[in-house]
Amino acid sequence: MIPKPDRVFARDFEWRHLARFAAGVGHHPQLGVVSGRRRQGKTFLVEALVRETGGFYFGATEATETESLSLYADALAEHVGAPAPFRFGSWDEAVRQTFAIGAERRDLMVIDEFPYLSKVSPALPSIIQREIDRAIARDAPVSLLLCGSAMSVMGRLLAGGAPLRGRASLELVVRPFDHRTAADYWRITDPRLAVRTHAVVGGTPAYLRFVGGDTPQGLDDFDAWVQRTVLDPGTPLFREARYLLEEESDVRDSALYHSVLAAVASGNGTRGGIAGYIGRKAADIGHHLNVLEDSHLLRREPDVFRPSRSVYRVREPLVTFYQVVMRPRWGLLESGRAAPVWTDSQGRFHDQVVGPHFEELCRQFARIEDVFGELPGEVGAGVVTDSERREQIEVDVVVFAPAMPGEPRRVLSLGEVKWGRRMGPRHSARLRRAREVLGAKGYDVRDTVLACYSGAGFDGALASEPDVRTVGLGELYG
């Protein structure tokens, strides 16, 4: 197994799978697909793998088919040290030559940003499928990695009736760092500062480079850090949220997609709420929601108690920050007036950005296998209908045990989350009532733990409630 280079931070899971794929190079035919939104370090990883193995790497760019073929031919000729440049009249020729070289030299062959090529050459996946099938029939030791950042395109490569369906031995998605790894990467040790910073930049590794390695030096420096980085039009991070949407090939009318994202970021998570916010009918935005889901910019989360109902949430923290804080005051920010914009947006930042983000971090925490004593089967949020009192009880973190056929759903924990408020007995009382209602509805709540998650601390009275567990920032980042 190829050891991970020291320059690669974390990514042990991803490197293990890439190294395992590389270990098969030269032994049998194999195809791998590596995807991940831009800036997650996908290219950095595969380039590091190529350097360690001495393989071939080609990074595609937006170009015509003719220019792409020329660039590809030059890269392939340089790799093999050909005395004369290659000339390809079609991708049919280029792929056949690639497979011949890969089999003969037993090299790892990597094509990065594959969606740029398939966009102008739609037959390319079918050509690769044909050559992969031939290699398998002849047991030709070809190893090809296809990589890309356009998630909607990469997600379709191996789906349904796609040509490459069933051909891949590796399908790896490079995701953002989790909140703990991100805090280490940004060299932040204060959990409260870590939550605020993660609510802005998330776990995308490249954003540290986008701000020149500038990290907030403490809570007192956070406001100034926001103004000199993400709100400064002279930094690459300033326009990044806009580019994330525009880079997706399936996005046609970016203004409408931005409005959908703004609706969700503002708390309008239902399809009807989104449609009302942007002035459209709910039936008219289904395609847009699907595109944003496929692009990994939105995710749809069903209500765990009413699966027929669901809410949408923005997946990328920077997009939420942009839609809530930056987009409404874009003109002022472009003119360099970050200070008044940031002062004016403090309420929205804490209520619509940090608060919901902290809830998601708590749900991620609850997914850790031993948090509530056993492996969770499902973690989400939901609304408990209390018909007797005619009220709806929102539960921010619901943890189910794995479902067992013929048995009632067992609830491991019910949790409420507050970012800026101390929590006390009134919060646990709401959860206790939700537990009673669920028990009456047939759920197994005999061992349900009530969990209070807070970023501001807890009332001492909670300590006397044996069925309540408090989860603070220290435990969240422990």
Side-chain angles (χ1 to χ4, degrees):
M1 192 72 72
I2 302 170
K4 188 185 75 172
D6 292 340
R7 63 183 177 275
V8 177
F9 180 85
R11 298 302 189 195
D12 294 336
F13 173 85
E14 293 85 353
W15 186 263
R16 183 170 69 252
H17 284 276
L18 289 172
R20 184 181 301 162
F21 185 87
V25 172
H27 298 290
H28 52 266
Q30 54 181 1
L31 172 70
V33 174
V34 180
S35 60
R37 285 208 333 269
R38 296 188 188 280
R39 330 296 190 242
Q40 305 307 324
K42 167 185 50 61
T43 296
F44 182 76
L45 279 172
V46 296
E47 283 186 330
L49 188 70
V50 167
R51 283 194 293 270
E52 295 296 320
T53 60
F56 166 73
Y57 174 87
F58 174 72
T61 58
E62 288 189 277
T64 64
E65 181 176 68
T66 300
E67 184 184 11
S68 293
L69 281 168
S70 177
L71 294 171
Y72 187 80
D74 291 344
L76 199 58
E78 181 181 356
H79 174 68
V80 302
F86 291 139
R87 290 289 180 264
F88 298 134
S90 67
W91 277 110
D92 188 77
E93 294 178 31
V95 172
R96 280 192 282 110
Q97 185 68 41
T98 299
F99 274 66
I101 290 172
E104 178 184 355
R105 295 172 59 96
R106 298 175 183 266
D107 285 343
L108 172 64
M109 313 296 282
V110 176
I111 300 177
D112 198 5
E113 295 305 344
F114 182 75
Y116 286 146
L117 304 180
S118 62
K119 180 180 179 180
V120 294
S121 308
L124 187 50
S126 296
I127 295 171
I128 293 175
Q129 174 244 312
R130 182 197 65 202
E131 295 304 317
I132 277 286
D133 289 348
R134 287 179 178 175
I136 292 173
R138 300 169 184 171
D139 198 28
V142 179
S143 296
L144 176 64
L145 269 182
L146 302 178
C147 311
S149 303
M151 298 301 291
S152 56
V153 177
M154 297 301 294
R156 290 194 295 265
L157 275 184
L158 304 177
L164 295 176
R165 170 74 173 172
R167 270 75 179 182
S169 58
L170 171 68
E171 184 177 7
L172 178 66
V173 179
V174 180
R175 304 183 188 280
F177 290 147
D178 62 46
H179 62 284
R180 292 176 176 176
T181 305
D184 291 340
Y185 186 69
W186 283 77
R187 302 182 297 278
I188 297 175
T189 57
D190 183 336
R192 192 166 183 82
L193 177 61
V195 172
R196 293 186 183 188
T197 306
H198 199 268
V200 178
V201 295
T204 299
Y207 292 165
L208 182 59
R209 174 170 51 84
F210 278 22
V211 297
D214 184 357
T215 63
Q217 298 305 299
L219 284 172
D220 292 342
D221 183 47
F222 179 76
D223 291 343
W225 175 79
V226 169
Q227 294 175 54
R228 67 178 182 258
T229 55
V230 65
L231 296 186
D232 187 335
T235 66
L237 199 57
F238 180 74
R239 294 176 177 83
E240 174 66 7
R242 298 164 71 102
Y243 294 156
L244 286 175
L245 180 63
E246 293 164 2
E247 286 169 347
E248 287 296 330
S249 59
D250 288 347
V251 171
R252 298 290 184 263
D253 180 3
S254 61
L256 181 55
Y257 284 94
H258 274 298
S259 293
V260 172
L261 290 170
V264 178
S266 301
N268 301 280
T270 65
R271 182 177 290 227
I274 297 168
Y277 183 93
I278 66 177
R280 297 289 182 96
K281 295 180 180 179
D284 296 338
I285 62 172
H287 171 73
H288 303 85
L289 293 172
N290 289 336
V291 168
L292 290 171
E293 277 193 85
D294 291 343
S295 303
H296 286 212
L297 292 174
L298 279 186
R299 66 171 175 270
R300 185 176 64 86
E301 298 182 355
D303 184 316
V304 295
F305 300 119
R306 298 176 295 179
S308 61
R309 300 187 182 184
S310 59
V311 296
Y312 288 89
R313 304 188 197 277
V314 179
R315 296 186 68 153
E316 172 54 56
L318 184 63
V319 171
T320 300
F321 182 85
Y322 165 76
Q323 296 293 347
V324 172
V325 175
M326 301 175 68
R327 187 164 172 257
R329 301 288 186 270
W330 187 252
L332 291 175
L333 289 172
E334 282 195 309
S335 65
R337 301 183 64 187
V341 170
W342 182 238
T343 299
D344 177 67
S345 65
Q346 287 298 294
R348 297 194 308 277
F349 174 68
H350 287 282
D351 293 343
Q352 299 178 28
V353 179
V354 186
H357 187 73
F358 183 58
E359 287 185 16
E360 177 56 29
L361 295 187
C362 293
R363 284 188 284 270
Q364 292 178 17
F365 170 82
R367 292 186 179 98
I368 300 173
E369 61 185 59
D370 60 350
V371 166
F372 294 104
E374 58 184 281
L375 188 72
E378 180 185 3
V379 177
V383 176
V384 177
T385 301
D386 186 348
S387 302
E388 182 180 329
R389 299 183 181 178
R390 297 183 179 180
E391 63 181 13
Q392 305 283 320
I393 306 174
E394 294 186 11
V395 185
D396 302 319
V397 184
V398 183
V399 185
F400 286 108
M404 302 297 290
E407 296 184 9
R409 292 299 303 273
R410 189 157 60 93
V411 184
L412 296 180
S413 177
L414 298 173
E416 183 164 348
V417 180
K418 297 296 180 186
W419 163 246
R421 297 181 187 174
R422 290 176 61 85
M423 300 186 72
R426 65 188 182 89
H427 298 103
S428 60
R430 291 182 71 255
L431 294 173
R432 197 169 285 111
R433 177 58 185 170
R435 184 173 60 185
E436 293 172 359
V437 173
L438 290 173
K441 291 177 180 290
Y443 289 86
D444 184 349
V445 296
R446 290 172 296 175
D447 302 315
T448 301
V449 176
L450 306 181
C452 292
Y453 304 82
S454 175
F458 305 94
D459 190 314
L462 282 179
S464 62
E465 299 183 5
D467 59 344
V468 177
R469 175 174 175 179
T470 58
V471 179
L473 292 172
E475 189 170 1
L476 200 68
Y477 277 86

